[in-house]
Amino acid sequence: MKQLSGENTLLIIDTPDDLDGTLPAFERVSILLRENIINGNLRAGQPLPEIELAALCQTSRNTLREALRFLHGEGLVNYHQNRGVFVRQLDKRDIRDIYKARRHLEILAMTAATISDFHLHRMQNHIVLAEQAAREETWRTVGTQSLRFHQAIVHMLGCRRFNDFFSVLLAQLRLLFASGAGERDFQQPWIARDRELWELLAEQRQEQACAALRDYLEHSEQQLMQTVNHTSFETE
């Protein structure tokens, strides 16, 4: 973990062990930043000062600028004139779009893919880590592991393009998560529901798993809509 403190914010960047070193530099940096959005290090509305961020990413400012332009195209950062680059803040339209895509991809994965022991073990590992994080009251990690669990569902399709698209979707979703004092109440209900999905898949009960997933996504979307309403009210 690398971190730098600025006047109004703390920048933290974790480097994944599996980051592909053969990719072009700007693409590696864009993946690095996207992964740090997914794991909660970079939050909605956070400024991304160029000099500090380039140092944390161990890259040049030119490469960082190219990576940020790439992330802007993915809907993860915004440019503000005379102020710089900020992690994007999403709204209700984004929530609706994200959940339309989630329904298509995750349900497709459950119905079209063979549920192998490899994929079941991968999914179970994220659930176990989420449950451990809950016992330790590290709710940001709970949220990260829940996202990784659903990422593992889509990975069952065995399609790199779907995986890349869903990674962007998860980063956008993370920007909508509650943080701070409300994070425990926001994350806790989903631990048991993720385990329920896994148990249905482990029993090869795909039809029931799809029904449970549809209900899961419906309630998750409603929760985020309420979170956005509350946040908007708080900031008015």
Side-chain angles (χ1 to χ4, degrees):
M1 176 188 292
K2 305 180 188 73
Q3 66 181 50
L4 285 173
S5 57
E7 184 178 342
N8 298 313
T9 187
L10 177 67
L11 276 175
I12 300 173
I13 296 294
D14 290 324
T15 302
D17 294 332
D18 58 352
L19 192 61
D20 188 350
T22 66
L23 294 172
F26 86 91
E27 193 171 347
R28 287 200 309 274
V29 175
S30 66
I31 291 171
L32 176 62
L33 294 175
R34 188 195 308 135
E35 288 296 304
N36 277 272
I37 291 174
I38 293 174
N39 68 25
N41 283 340
L42 300 176
R43 302 190 178 193
Q46 184 171 359
L48 300 174
E50 186 178 285
I51 295 174
E52 293 89 337
L53 193 58
L56 286 173
C57 296
Q58 297 182 311
T59 193
S60 70
R61 292 168 68 182
N62 283 338
T63 298
L64 177 64
R65 288 171 192 155
E66 195 172 356
L68 290 172
R69 284 194 292 270
F70 191 79
L71 292 181
H72 181 260
E74 293 182 340
L76 296 175
V77 303
N78 275 337
Y79 290 82
H80 294 272
Q81 190 171 7
N82 300 322
R83 295 178 59 207
V85 183
F86 291 75
V87 181
R88 188 174 165 223
Q89 292 179 296
L90 280 71
D91 58 27
K92 287 184 177 181
R93 290 170 297 181
D94 296 302
I95 295 173
R96 285 190 285 267
D97 284 347
I98 288 168
Y99 276 83
K100 284 178 185 176
R102 288 192 72 183
R103 287 182 179 94
H104 282 293
L105 272 183
E106 293 190 55
I107 290 172
L108 176 65
M110 283 189 175
T111 56
T114 301
I115 304 175
S116 66
D117 288 341
F118 170 80
H119 288 116
L120 286 169
H121 177 74
R122 197 176 194 178
M123 286 184 274
Q124 185 184 36
N125 184 55
H126 293 303
I127 293 172
V128 169
L129 289 173
E131 290 169 341
Q132 178 182 334
R135 289 192 295 271
E136 296 169 354
E137 297 279 327
T138 53
W139 297 104
R140 190 182 75 177
T141 301
V142 172
T144 300
Q145 294 304 327
S146 181
L147 292 175
R148 298 300 186 192
F149 169 75
H150 289 270
Q151 190 173 36
I153 290 175
V154 172
H155 279 182
M156 290 195 297
L157 289 168
C159 175
R160 182 177 176 179
R161 292 180 187 272
F162 282 156
N163 293 344
D164 290 345
F165 173 75
F166 201 70
S167 179
V168 175
L169 213 63
L170 291 185
Q172 293 178 344
L173 187 60
R174 185 56 186 250
L175 295 178
L176 292 157
F177 279 9
S179 60
E183 199 162 17
R184 181 183 188 277
D185 292 339
F186 186 90
Q187 298 293 351
Q188 191 172 40
W190 304 105
I191 303 170
R193 298 198 68 166
D194 283 339
R195 178 162 284 283
E196 177 193 10
L197 289 174
W198 181 84
E199 288 173 351
L200 290 169
L201 292 173
E203 295 167 3
Q204 303 296 321
R205 296 166 62 192
Q206 287 161 284
E207 185 175 342
Q208 293 93 329
C210 286
L213 178 60
R214 289 188 185 95
D215 184 69
Y216 180 113
L217 294 176
E218 179 67 27
H219 283 85
S220 178
E221 182 177 4
Q222 290 174 7
Q223 182 193 43
L224 286 176
M225 285 291 193
Q226 292 169 1
T227 300
V228 169
N229 279 339
H230 180 70
T231 303
S232 298
F233 177 79
E234 291 267 330
T235 56
E236 282 179 0

